[in-house]
Amino acid sequence: AKLKEAVIRQKQEDRPFALMFIDLDRFKEVNDTLGHSFGDLLLLEAAQRLQRVAGNNNLVARLGGDEFTALFDQVSNIKELEQFAEKIVQELRKPFHVNGEELNYISGSVGITLCPADAADIETLLKHADMAMYRAKEAGRNTYRFYTTEMNSHALNRIRMEEELRQAIKKQEFGLFYQPTLDLKSQTVESVEALIRWQHPTQGLLVPDEFIPLAEESGLINDIGMIVIEQACRQLRQWRD
């Protein structure tokens, strides 16, 4: 509702505003290791920090999970917006103290989009802020990124690549190369390292850096892991035979 009001106000008064997406880095690790109740307390502390940075004139809301959004409707220039984003990153970088535990590995990734410069409707603004946030994560997390038009093509490429990856799993387009480990005393091969490659139908042989990060993000890494285990075990059986 507040975002809708900001869009209407921008059109009526020609007053630009900024929308930020904030995602807590490594929050899943907290839930998995310390439990959801602990995670809820961490989210509460994060929300309080974000509200302190935003102040009383700006809105901070939790979208769900570990994602927050912030609406800055009284920002006069990009420099001021950058300062807000940097303060958010700095605040989330500080250690969290929850139930006697100190967490030093939590940080935040921030995506920023501008209205009307980037978009003038709610759906597109939310999509752009989300894209920018993911680019901040890809840049190493613990940072912020502004939306750019290039992010649209990047997102489309990512969606296409993910679908191709799913098809590659079905069609068994992965193969293993084996790098031997040599015992220098006996001059014999004592083991091998299995190195995965993707035989892409149009792009040729792809190395892990080109598809493993996407496999991890999309949840396909376990399927690929099983392919690797099966192929390696089958090859080992052949060598022994």
Side-chain angles (χ1 to χ4, degrees):
K2 292 291 184 181
L3 182 56
K4 184 178 180 180
E5 290 174 10
V7 170
I8 295 173
R9 189 166 55 248
Q10 188 281 317
K11 292 178 180 178
Q12 294 175 342
E13 303 176 13
D14 192 26
R15 188 169 73 183
F17 67 88
L19 180 68
M20 291 187 184
F21 259 30
I22 304 118
D23 186 85
L24 295 185
D25 303 322
R26 303 180 184 87
F27 178 74
K28 185 176 183 299
E29 296 176 25
V30 174
N31 271 344
D32 290 346
T33 58
L34 300 174
H36 291 277
S37 296
F38 191 98
D40 289 344
L41 294 175
L42 174 60
L43 289 172
L44 181 60
E45 173 63 24
Q48 292 170 348
R49 294 187 186 188
L50 292 173
Q51 190 61 67
R52 284 198 298 269
V53 173
N56 296 326
N57 295 325
N58 300 299
L59 175 71
V60 173
R62 181 184 170 210
L63 288 179
D66 60 337
E67 285 191 344
F68 295 84
T69 186
L71 182 65
F72 291 85
D73 64 352
Q74 295 189 12
V75 178
S76 57
N77 54 64
I78 294 294
K79 186 65 177 177
E80 185 180 359
L81 198 55
E82 288 177 336
Q83 290 172 349
F84 272 123
E86 185 58 41
K87 286 180 181 178
I88 288 174
V89 170
Q90 289 177 1
E91 279 295 315
L92 296 179
R93 188 186 299 148
K94 295 176 182 177
F96 283 83
H97 297 89
V98 180
N99 281 356
E101 297 277 353
E102 180 176 288
L103 304 180
N104 295 296
Y105 55 85
I106 301 297
S107 58
S109 296
V110 182
I112 311 165
T113 191
L114 306 173
C115 179
D118 296 328
D121 65 277
I122 294 174
E123 183 179 354
T124 308
L125 284 168
L126 291 170
K127 182 178 71 173
H128 287 177
D130 190 51
M131 284 183 186
M133 183 268 291
Y134 273 103
R135 289 309 292 270
K137 282 189 175 295
E138 291 175 355
R141 303 174 180 175
N142 190 36
T143 188
Y144 64 89
R145 287 291 183 271
F146 283 85
Y147 170 80
T148 63
T149 53
E150 288 78 13
M151 290 181 186
N152 265 325
S153 59
H154 177 81
L156 291 174
N157 288 336
R158 186 183 182 281
I159 292 171
R160 188 188 70 249
M161 190 76 162
E162 183 177 330
E163 179 55 31
E164 290 177 349
L165 199 55
R166 293 181 188 279
Q167 292 301 316
I169 292 171
K170 291 180 181 178
K171 297 177 181 179
Q172 295 284 316
E173 294 175 352
F174 299 98
L176 298 184
F177 288 72
Y178 299 94
Q179 179 169 285
T181 300
L182 189 66
D183 185 322
L184 295 180
K185 289 184 178 180
S186 63
Q187 290 294 305
T188 58
V189 174
E190 61 177 15
S191 64
V192 293
E193 179 182 6
L195 307 174
I196 189 171
R197 298 292 185 266
W198 177 8
Q199 187 62 56
H200 194 281
T202 60
Q203 299 181 40
L205 204 60
L206 302 183
V207 296
D209 286 352
E210 297 178 85
F211 63 90
I212 291 298
L214 177 58
E216 291 174 338
E217 292 173 15
S218 58
L220 298 173
I221 192 65
N222 289 337
D223 292 332
I224 293 176
M226 288 305 300
I227 290 173
V228 170
I229 292 172
E230 289 173 2
Q231 287 193 17
C233 290
R234 189 180 303 115
Q235 180 64 71
L236 180 61
R237 181 70 269 172
Q238 290 174 356
W239 282 334
R240 285 180 173 175
D241 289 345

